[in-house]
Amino acid sequence: MPSIVHETVIDLFRKRPTLAATLIREQGVALATHDEVRLESESLADCKPAEYRADAVIVHRAESKPVLGVIVEVQLRPDEDKRWSWPVYLATLRARLQCDTALLVMCLSSKTARECATPIDMGHPGWTLAPLVMGPDHLPRITDVAQAIAEPELAALSVVAHGRDPGPAGQEAMDVFYKAAPLMADGLGKTYADVVLALLPKVAARKFVEGLMALGTDEYKSDYVRQWVAEGAAETRARDIIVAFRTRGIPVSPEAERRILDCSDADQLSAWFPKSITADSVEELFDSE
């Protein structure tokens, strides 16, 4: 079953199919002239009963005729089986549309991107499939607020890719998103703040949320962001309880530590904290429940 992270990335392309063309151009590939871009069925059945299903299929059309079919795949980790199924996806879509096809692979880690970019030798002379791979090192860093407003999905991916950088480049990617998000159409700033938060690693996600909260506006702090902040506060209080015991020289067993850290009940943590300063053992916390 696809993970939430996997589906979150694919949803960017479902919401804005033109995103695939933007990223393909980043790879230096010229696209056929077209006047329409739309999603199509992800089902890629071949002549056998077996069915192959891509993550997303986007078709570019000119005067209602297909001119390019793009298969979008999200890979969170290397998968050797995809080296056998990806060529099937392309060949099946090519036969269905009777036009050129391209494979765009989205990766959230540089290591996975490098492995997915390995050309696939089809065994036939001159026939080698080189996937178009977009990893953190390939995604453009959006530095213009106007562009971020016009292309909110790309702005979100920019933060996901570059917000991991603790230096000025990462901060700039976040700052551009902060400025653009309240101005994005249809409330997409709130939606994509959630997307960014779901896809960033924990340290970068905390920095991202701190930036949102520092703005002093509720305009695009969604319930998901608020929940994330609350969970972060609960985790901090849980760790304070453990530190309090250990500072007093009272041992905390691995089982007790896990029980405290797994607690997300703010009221329970608030009740435990004063006891962590006076109790003679960790077990006294649990005895008082």
Side-chain angles (χ1 to χ4, degrees):
M1 180 179 293
S3 69
I4 293 175
V5 171
H6 178 279
E7 288 299 292
T8 296
V9 177
I10 283 298
D11 198 46
L12 296 176
F13 292 89
R14 292 174 181 150
K15 282 187 168 65
R16 192 178 298 264
T18 55
L19 178 61
T22 299
L23 297 180
I24 288 175
R25 290 191 185 97
E26 287 288 327
Q27 294 278 346
V29 177
L31 298 179
T33 301
H34 57 276
D35 52 33
E36 181 185 11
V37 180
R38 71 185 187 194
L39 285 170
E40 298 216 356
S41 170
E42 293 90 0
S43 176
L44 298 169
D46 59 11
C47 58
K48 298 179 181 180
E51 181 181 73
Y52 295 90
R53 184 171 293 275
D55 288 332
V57 173
I58 297 168
V59 178
H60 297 69
R61 297 175 181 271
E63 298 179 354
S64 300
K65 180 180 178 181
V67 293
L68 176 65
V70 179
I71 290 173
V72 180
E73 284 279 284
V74 174
Q75 286 303 118
L76 303 183
R77 60 192 60 83
D79 183 350
E80 188 65 24
D81 288 343
K82 291 295 187 178
R83 297 180 62 77
W84 299 101
S85 60
W86 282 339
V88 178
Y89 291 3
L90 284 176
T92 303
L93 185 63
R94 182 174 181 272
R96 188 171 87 193
L97 298 177
Q98 297 187 6
C99 71
D100 292 344
T101 53
L103 171 65
L104 178 64
V105 183
M106 297 293 302
C107 302
L108 297 184
S109 81
S110 298
K111 180 178 183 295
T112 299
R114 287 192 297 271
E115 296 199 25
C116 288
T118 303
I120 301 171
D121 185 353
M122 299 297 293
H124 184 84
W127 188 6
T128 301
L129 171 59
L132 303 175
V133 177
M134 298 298 294
D137 300 333
H138 308 98
L139 286 165
R141 181 164 58 90
I142 305 302
T143 59
D144 180 68
V145 175
Q147 183 183 5
I149 295 170
E151 300 181 85
E153 293 78 12
L154 195 60
L157 286 176
S158 172
V159 180
V160 171
H162 302 287
R164 303 159 186 255
D165 182 347
Q171 187 61 57
E172 182 179 30
M174 290 188 183
D175 288 343
V176 168
F177 185 90
Y178 297 150
K179 294 174 183 176
L183 304 175
M184 292 176 181
D186 303 321
L188 288 179
K190 180 184 292 186
T191 298
Y192 291 149
D194 287 356
V195 169
V196 170
L197 190 55
L199 298 180
L200 280 175
K202 195 165 188 177
V203 173
R206 187 177 299 280
K207 182 179 179 181
F208 179 74
V209 170
E210 288 171 352
L212 287 179
M213 305 307 288
L215 294 178
T217 174
D218 290 335
E219 189 161 358
Y220 61 102
K221 295 172 194 169
S222 69
D223 291 340
Y224 182 77
V225 171
R226 295 180 188 281
Q227 179 184 353
W228 198 95
V229 172
E231 289 173 355
E235 180 183 348
T236 298
R237 176 50 57 94
R239 293 191 181 281
D240 287 344
I241 291 170
I242 295 168
V243 169
F245 276 115
R246 287 179 173 159
T247 300
R248 296 170 56 221
I250 297 174
V252 180
S253 69
E255 295 76 13
E257 180 176 359
R258 177 47 48 201
R259 185 171 177 181
I260 294 169
L261 290 176
D262 285 347
C263 180
S264 58
D265 186 332
D267 291 337
Q268 182 65 77
L269 290 168
S270 294
W272 279 349
F273 182 68
K275 291 183 174 63
S276 69
I277 301 173
T278 60
D280 294 326
S281 70
V282 177
E283 286 67 29
E284 288 186 32
L285 290 186
F286 309 135
D287 291 341
S288 65
E289 289 184 75

